[in-house]
Amino acid sequence: MSQVDFGDWSIRCACLALGATAISCVALILLHVVSPEFEPSWRMVSEYANGRQGWLLAIMFFAWAAGSFALAGALWPLSASTLGLVGLGLLCLAGIGQAMGGLFDINHKLHGPAAMIGIPALCAAAVVLTLALARQGGNVAPPLWSAHLPWLSFVAMLGALFLFFSALKGAGVDMAAQIGPLQALPAGVSGYVGFANRALFLASYLWVVLAALAVLRR
């Protein structure tokens, strides 16, 4: 493929990444509108699968994955360096985990592994690819702080999840013996893991958008 054709391909992939990310973000917003019974402060995004609009959640995950794969295509020139190649591999792995999230909802045994594949891979890919972009003088790399937001959000979510389960245990709720999703919070228990979970999605969207715009600004 000629250099001109490769440049055109990168631009098209960057535009596709922007479009797919926008669709995923809009789907996430709509889930809050059509399923208001899920309290966003302590309900995880994946729990929308238990509502009446599970198909919209699947669209959100598939579009999220499409954005990752498209961004990998847009950033493919970075594969010329070892750092870039590692970052692209991580981004594709993130896309696989995100697609698995759409295929296997929260009630499926593979949903947990999908999260453990997709989220850490995305957090690492954001940092590695941003550094790889910054090392190439011809590219306008996204700001480094945007690359750190996904893993910071992930750490915050894990911390909030630990505190949430600890509070439930203190209130006498045994999550290991719980059959089905928790319907309501016990008195005196408040949780913010849902907010942290949503912050992770927004941090991911922001980094993908900034990385795609960096390709378009070349």
Side-chain angles (χ1 to χ4, degrees), residues 80-171:
S81 68
T82 301
L83 188 66
L85 189 60
V86 170
L88 290 170
L90 288 167
L91 187 57
C92 289
L93 189 62
I96 292 173
Q98 292 156 1
M100 287 176 63
L103 288 172
F104 310 113
D105 67 24
I106 195 172
N107 303 303
H108 197 284
K109 64 181 181 180
L110 289 179
H111 188 79
M116 289 300 98
I117 292 172
I119 297 176
L122 175 67
C123 294
V127 175
V128 172
L129 287 174
T130 299
L131 292 175
L133 277 169
R135 290 183 180 182
Q136 289 198 352
N139 292 292
V140 181
L144 190 57
W145 58 261
S146 68
H148 289 302
L149 284 181
W151 73 261
L152 288 172
S153 301
F154 184 41
V155 170
M157 186 183 76
L158 293 178
L161 195 60
F162 174 78
L163 293 175
F164 184 54
F165 284 147
S166 297
L168 289 175
K169 184 177 180 180

Side-chain angles (χ1 to χ4, degrees), residues 13-213:
C13 286
C15 291
L16 180 57
L18 290 173
T21 302
I23 291 172
S24 183
C25 186
V26 169
L28 178 57
I29 294 172
L30 287 177
L31 282 167
H32 292 75
V33 176
V34 300
S35 297
E37 68 273 18
F38 293 95
E39 173 56 49
S41 64
W42 63 277
R43 294 283 195 180
M44 303 290 277
V45 169
S46 294
E47 293 189 67
Y48 284 115
N50 295 322
R52 293 168 294 179
Q53 310 295 335
W55 60 270
L56 189 57
L57 180 67
I59 289 177
M60 186 211 73
F61 273 114
F62 288 137
W64 194 24
S68 293
F69 288 130
L71 183 60
L75 297 176
W76 193 252
L78 294 177
S79 62
S81 68
T82 301
L83 188 66
L85 189 60
V86 170
L88 290 170
L90 288 167
L91 187 57
C92 289
L93 189 62
I96 292 173
Q98 292 156 1
M100 287 176 63
L103 288 172
F104 310 113
D105 67 24
I106 195 172
N107 303 303
H108 197 284
K109 64 181 181 180
L110 289 179
H111 188 79
M116 289 300 98
I117 292 172
I119 297 176
L122 175 67
C123 294
V127 175
V128 172
L129 287 174
T130 299
L131 292 175
L133 277 169
R135 290 183 180 182
Q136 289 198 352
N139 292 292
V140 181
L144 190 57
W145 58 261
S146 68
H148 289 302
L149 284 181
W151 73 261
L152 288 172
S153 301
F154 184 41
V155 170
M157 186 183 76
L158 293 178
L161 195 60
F162 174 78
L163 293 175
F164 184 54
F165 284 147
S166 297
L168 289 175
K169 184 177 180 180
V173 177
D174 185 2
M175 292 302 295
Q178 181 76 22
I179 300 176
L182 192 66
Q183 297 301 316
L185 290 181
V189 175
S190 59
Y192 303 99
V193 65
F195 287 150
N197 183 221
R198 286 156 178 78
L200 174 61
F201 278 91
L202 295 178
S204 165
Y205 295 152
L206 177 62
W207 177 76
V208 170
V209 167
L210 292 177
L213 289 177

